[in-house]
Amino acid sequence: MSTIKNKINVLIIDDCPEDLFVYKNFLQKNEEITFIIEECETGEEGMETCKTSKPDCLLLDYNLPDLDGLEILSELAPLSFPVIMLTGEGTQQIAVQALKNGAQDYLIKGEITPSNLTQSIITAVKMFKIESERQRFAEELKRSNQALEDFANIASHDLQEPLRKIHTYAEKIKELSEGVIDERCRDYLNRLQSSTERMSQFIEDLLKFSMVTTTTKPFKPVDLNGVIKLVLSDLEITILNKQAQVNIMQLPVIETDRSQIYQLFLNLVANGLKFNKSDTPVIDITCQKGTNNYWEIRVKDNGIGLENKFKEKIFKPFFRIHGRSDYKGTGTGLAICKKLVERHHGTISVESEPEKGTTFIIILPEKNSQEEQV
Ligand SMILES: Nc1ncnc2c1ncn2[C@@H]1O[C@H](COP(=O)(O)OP(=O)(O)OP(=O)(O)O)[C@@H](O)[C@H]1O
Ligand SMILES: [Mg+2]
């Protein structure tokens, strides 16, 4: 919790000298905080003062001779300090409108006391500071996500082309040097080509990772049964080759970004099949409604499992437990899953033991219409 300074600059815009006198008196009685007070009697004068002497808090009378409080609020937007609207009795509607337009609080003039006035100012200053910091972090995060996507886009376009050329020229050297170079040189060329393929895959996956929060679609009600059906049809050949069995419970309809939720299940089911040495790989997808309209969805396999020490690390980009020769992949699948589940205001975690299978637990809200933070 942020602390409050012991000096607060308050600007009061009120055309009634008696009221101004009372508020000043109330604030100056406070022994812990020194309130430095400036006063204005008209809206125009008040707005000018706001520009020159940025207050820590503005007490704004709704009824002024030249402008009303709501007009002043919209003129001052975006606010760089908290505003407390002072309204007359029976003007609750105005107060609600003031809050919607960005005021931190309202006080009804006849009910103002030294303690509720001081408390309202202290809370408004604290909350405004917290909200400003939250907005700053959200903007920074947005900028860094955008920078990552820009970088990934440039990397993708500008690096893929030379990589393709290296691959093609290696192929040409192999063709032209048939019978001229020995097996060792041929092996080097093959390795060079597989390195370019790997790098190309890394770049593509980095681009996918960076785009989770920047290339998004709005949340809409999505029937998860349909999504899983599509995932299974896309993995049909692997399922057949591995003679795997996938059991699915009736799943709910939840508000999601359909293409992202598809990516989530595609990676989890693909992992359950890939990291699995059983004669019959079995994947169980189950769900259960939890508290506060959250759904818990479990994707359980009977595969190789993993040690406790990897439970957090597997969600980091490019982290893999095994070598490339054992299992294919770049290690971005779960990092993308985590990022997109968090975008849906949910969580993803894992329960596992070596040789005893793995269960991924996803918790997602049924409704997701709240505004995105980033
Ligand atoms: N179901 C699972 N069973 C055992 N280990 C798993 C399972 N799922 C993931 N892992 C471990 O977590 C690592 C990260 O998984 P992730 O899906 O991010 O990468 P990947 O499957 O290796 O590659 P990619 O998904 O990018 O193709 C894997 O390399 C693997 O070591
Ligand atoms: Mg994967």
Side-chain angles (χ1 to χ4, degrees):
M1 196 71 169
S2 53
T3 49
I4 190 91
K5 25 188 208 176
N6 52 11
K7 250 189 204 172
I8 299 181
N9 295 311
V10 179
L11 171 64
I12 310 175
I13 309 179
D14 196 323
D15 63 324
C16 173
E18 292 81 20
D19 285 350
L20 272 171
F21 177 78
V22 171
Y23 305 146
K24 257 169 78 171
N25 202 287
F26 283 174
L27 294 176
Q28 279 160 353
K29 269 190 189 157
N30 194 290
E31 287 170 0
E32 281 154 29
I33 296 171
T34 311
F35 288 98
I36 300 160
I37 298 159
E38 258 188 291
E39 308 156 20
C40 296
E41 291 191 7
T42 66
E44 289 293 350
E45 188 198 341
M47 288 202 300
E48 270 313 302
T49 312
C50 284
K51 284 183 203 151
T52 49
S53 68
K54 292 186 182 148
D56 296 315
C57 185
L58 168 63
L59 293 185
L60 177 59
D61 181 16
Y62 173 73
N63 263 323
L64 290 165
D66 50 349
L67 295 161
D68 74 42
L70 292 178
E71 284 170 324
I72 296 179
L73 257 186
S74 63
E75 285 287 328
L76 292 176
L79 293 170
S80 50
F81 43 78
V83 176
I84 298 168
M85 189 70 87
L86 309 174
T87 64
E89 267 167 76
T91 52
Q92 265 78 352
Q93 254 178 328
I94 291 166
V96 170
Q97 196 53 45
L99 293 180
K100 279 191 185 155
N101 291 9
Q104 286 284 326
D105 197 4
Y106 70 89
L107 292 170
I108 295 169
K109 281 192 137 188
E111 297 171 5
I112 296 177
T113 63
S115 93
N116 72 8
L117 182 61
T118 318
Q119 202 46 53
S120 174
I121 293 175
I122 293 173
T123 310
V125 171
K126 264 190 194 172
M127 295 313 289
F128 192 82
K129 194 171 170 215
I130 291 169
E131 178 56 18
S132 309
E133 276 170 13
R134 192 199 64 77
Q135 272 178 19
R136 194 169 55 79
F137 284 134
E139 272 158 27
E140 256 172 41
L141 191 56
K142 204 171 174 176
R143 264 198 303 275
S144 83
N145 276 335
Q146 192 57 52
L148 176 61
E149 189 187 329
D150 291 347
F151 166 76
N153 257 314
I154 292 165
S156 167
H157 293 126
D158 293 1
L159 297 181
Q160 292 286 18
E161 186 51 28
L163 277 180
R164 267 193 290 274
K165 279 200 176 131
I166 296 170
H167 196 277
T168 310
Y169 286 127
E171 192 58 39
K172 282 202 188 320
I173 295 173
K174 276 197 316 198
E175 281 166 21
L176 294 173
S177 58
E178 187 78 56
V180 179
I181 57 171
D182 62 13
E183 261 321 295
R184 210 163 43 124
C185 291
R186 188 159 286 277
D187 179 46
Y188 288 157
L189 286 171
N190 285 340
R191 285 185 197 208
L192 190 145
Q193 281 185 309
S194 74
S195 291
T196 59
E197 281 161 20
R198 222 155 26 91
M199 188 159 167
S200 169
Q201 189 62 53
F202 268 114
I203 293 169
E204 210 173 281
D205 287 350
L206 175 67
L207 187 62
K208 271 195 217 151
F209 176 74
S210 72
M211 281 162 62
V212 172
T213 45
T214 48
T215 317
T216 54
K217 295 202 186 82
F219 300 131
K220 284 192 185 141
V222 172
D223 182 353
L224 296 188
N225 300 290
V227 174
I228 296 286
K229 217 169 152 183
L230 189 61
V231 167
L232 297 190
S233 121
D234 288 350
L235 293 173
E236 195 180 2
I237 296 176
T238 320
I239 293 172
L240 280 175
N241 286 345
K242 289 212 146 206
Q243 301 192 327
Q245 198 183 309
V246 186
N247 307 313
I248 308 151
M249 213 169 143
Q250 181 69 23
L251 297 172
V253 172
I254 60 174
E255 285 180 5
T256 61
D257 176 337
R258 195 173 196 280
S259 63
Q260 292 200 332
I261 224 70
Y262 162 82
Q263 277 184 52
L264 170 73
F265 286 110
L266 182 69
N267 186 52
L268 294 181
V269 177
N271 280 358
L273 296 168
K274 176 164 60 170
F275 301 105
N276 204 318
K277 289 181 176 158
S278 316
D279 294 339
T280 310
V282 180
I283 295 174
D284 292 308
I285 304 176
T286 55
C287 65
Q288 190 186 331
K289 192 155 186 182
T291 46
N292 297 332
N293 284 334
Y294 272 75
W295 280 93
E296 180 185 289
I297 301 158
R298 292 180 164 245
V299 181
K300 176 172 180 268
D301 65 54
N302 59 343
I304 60 170
L306 52 95
E307 286 177 67
N308 210 22
K309 63 178 180 190
F310 295 127
K311 281 184 182 168
E312 303 285 332
K313 288 187 179 156
I314 54 169
F315 294 102
K316 301 217 181 295
F318 304 121
F319 180 83
R320 311 193 71 236
I321 300 171
H322 309 275
R324 261 177 297 120
S325 50
D326 300 324
Y327 301 97
K328 282 204 164 59
T330 59
T332 36
L334 286 178
I336 292 175
C337 291
K338 183 167 164 36
K339 208 171 171 195
L340 68 86
V341 164
E342 282 170 1
R343 187 196 152 220
H344 282 78
H345 311 104
T347 59
I348 181 166
S349 58
V350 68
E351 282 173 4
S352 184
E353 252 187 79
E355 312 301 326
K356 296 217 170 122
T358 302
T359 305
F360 283 95
I361 303 132
I362 304 121
I363 296 179
L364 286 172
E366 187 170 72
K367 300 233 177 290
N368 227 326
S369 38
Q370 68 246 62
E371 261 181 44
E372 288 193 60
Q373 302 292 307
V374 283

